[in-house]
Amino acid sequence: MDEIRVLIIDDEELARELIRNFLKEYGEFRIIGETDNGLDGVRLIKDLQPDLVFLDVQMPRISGLEVLDLLEKPVPFIIFSTAYDTYAVEAFEKNAIDYLLKPYNRDRFNKAVEKFLNEFRKSGSKIAGDNILKIKSRENKVLDKVLVRHGSRIVVIPVEEIVYIGAEDDYVSIHTMDKKYLKQTTMGYFVDALPGNKFTRIHRSFIINVDFLVQLDLYDKATYTAVMKNKERLPVSRSGSVKLKLLLGNP
């Protein structure tokens, strides 16, 4: 088997050292990098293109789950480690991506590695990014911010600054009053994750923040055009009209 390139992302030096030591019994693995924070982890994943990432969930600045939010396809295999997130553990199990519950021993580590090796030998390279999207959509967590990659920078967008979100092929476009950002995820993810008292899907291609809605112009007998504070005019479908009126308290 060709060598397997490994990246370690964990804010605890002892945890990184443990992984290094446990991997020594596997001759096919080569550790190509490690970091103690998620921001550098995102950059290293992009630059080094590892086959396998050991990713801690609880980290300062951005968490392991927020690292997932910034990855683009192809996504490497990921073995997570966590001490507390029971809901995350359940999501990992359901998506056939393994996790290590801290503190873990060599036997549990070896089981996770063998599970990875079985999948890696079958697929030969990367897992489908869809599994990562499933994990994010099952967090059961209402977003208060969205992280996006913008050139060489990582931008944090508070959800209250989002005017609307639009579908663009394999991406969504996130619009603030003066900027547009692209993110590789689905509209369905944002439908589930954004605060339901502020955001609603008005059309298969658009989700709006009602705080930025200026007016609804009648388009025909049953549909409208939403006029937003940034001067954008967005179509509102029939079902979107019903949901929007219910949210605004005007059924």
Side-chain angles (χ1 to χ4, degrees):
M1 178 186 290
D2 294 335
E3 71 174 15
I4 297 170
R5 297 155 53 84
V6 177
L7 177 65
I8 304 171
I9 306 173
D10 197 305
D11 64 318
E12 299 177 15
E13 167 58 32
L14 288 176
R16 299 196 304 273
E17 182 180 357
L18 188 69
I19 293 170
R20 290 197 300 267
N21 288 335
F22 284 172
L23 279 179
K24 286 180 180 177
E25 69 177 68
Y26 294 91
E28 61 266 56
F29 289 98
R30 180 167 71 91
I31 297 173
I32 58 173
E34 60 179 75
T35 182
D36 62 0
N37 69 88
L39 288 174
D40 286 341
V42 172
R43 176 181 56 80
L44 288 174
I45 290 172
K46 178 182 179 183
D47 292 345
L48 301 179
Q49 294 290 299
D51 300 302
L52 171 63
V53 177
F54 288 90
L55 177 61
D56 188 21
V57 172
Q58 289 87 21
M59 290 185 293
R61 300 179 74 185
I62 67 171
S63 70
L65 293 178
E66 288 172 325
V67 168
L68 297 188
D69 218 22
L70 292 165
L71 298 185
E72 297 183 350
K73 297 177 183 178
V75 179
F77 284 88
I78 295 175
I79 294 178
F80 298 89
S81 59
T82 178
Y84 310 108
D85 288 9
T86 302
Y87 70 87
V89 169
E90 291 172 353
F92 305 155
E93 287 178 321
K94 290 176 182 176
N95 287 282
I97 301 172
D98 214 345
Y99 69 94
L100 295 167
L101 186 60
K102 295 180 178 180
Y104 52 85
N105 57 28
R106 184 182 291 274
D107 286 344
R108 181 64 187 89
F109 181 88
N110 288 347
K111 287 180 181 177
V113 170
E114 291 301 325
K115 184 175 181 180
F116 155 75
L117 287 171
N118 287 335
E119 292 296 319
F120 187 76
R121 288 164 182 152
K122 283 192 297 185
S123 68
S125 57
K126 311 291 184 182
I127 63 170
D130 291 345
N131 278 345
I132 296 299
L133 297 179
K134 289 176 185 176
I135 288 176
K136 291 190 291 186
S137 68
R138 290 179 182 175
E139 284 186 65
N140 294 324
K141 176 183 175 183
V142 176
L143 291 177
D144 60 2
K145 62 182 181 297
V146 176
L147 281 70
V148 296
R149 295 172 62 167
H150 190 63
S152 61
R153 297 182 296 126
I154 293 175
V155 179
V156 179
I157 309 170
V159 296
E160 61 267 20
E161 295 182 8
I162 297 174
V163 177
Y164 75 92
I165 295 173
E168 294 196 20
D169 298 323
D170 293 334
Y171 290 79
V172 299
S173 56
I174 301 169
H175 299 254
T176 63
M177 285 296 292
D178 57 355
K179 297 284 187 181
K180 170 186 172 181
Y181 305 94
L182 289 177
K183 186 174 183 66
Q184 192 175 50
T185 188
T186 65
M187 293 289 281
Y189 165 66
F190 281 112
V191 167
D192 293 336
L194 288 169
N197 63 335
K198 295 292 184 182
F199 290 85
T200 187
R201 192 169 191 168
I202 60 168
H203 185 276
R204 65 188 301 269
S205 298
F206 297 103
I207 299 168
I208 68 165
N209 181 346
V210 295
D211 285 346
F212 289 92
L213 177 64
V214 175
Q215 66 189 48
L216 288 174
D217 291 343
L218 189 64
Y219 183 75
D220 59 28
K221 291 183 179 180
T223 61
Y224 294 84
T225 298
V227 182
M228 309 302 291
K229 285 185 180 179
N230 64 350
K231 309 301 183 183
E232 296 272 7
R233 299 175 64 86
L234 307 175
V236 185
S237 66
R238 292 190 180 190
S239 61
S241 298
V242 173
K243 288 186 288 186
L244 184 55
K245 289 180 178 181
L246 288 172
L247 180 60
L248 295 172
N250 182 29

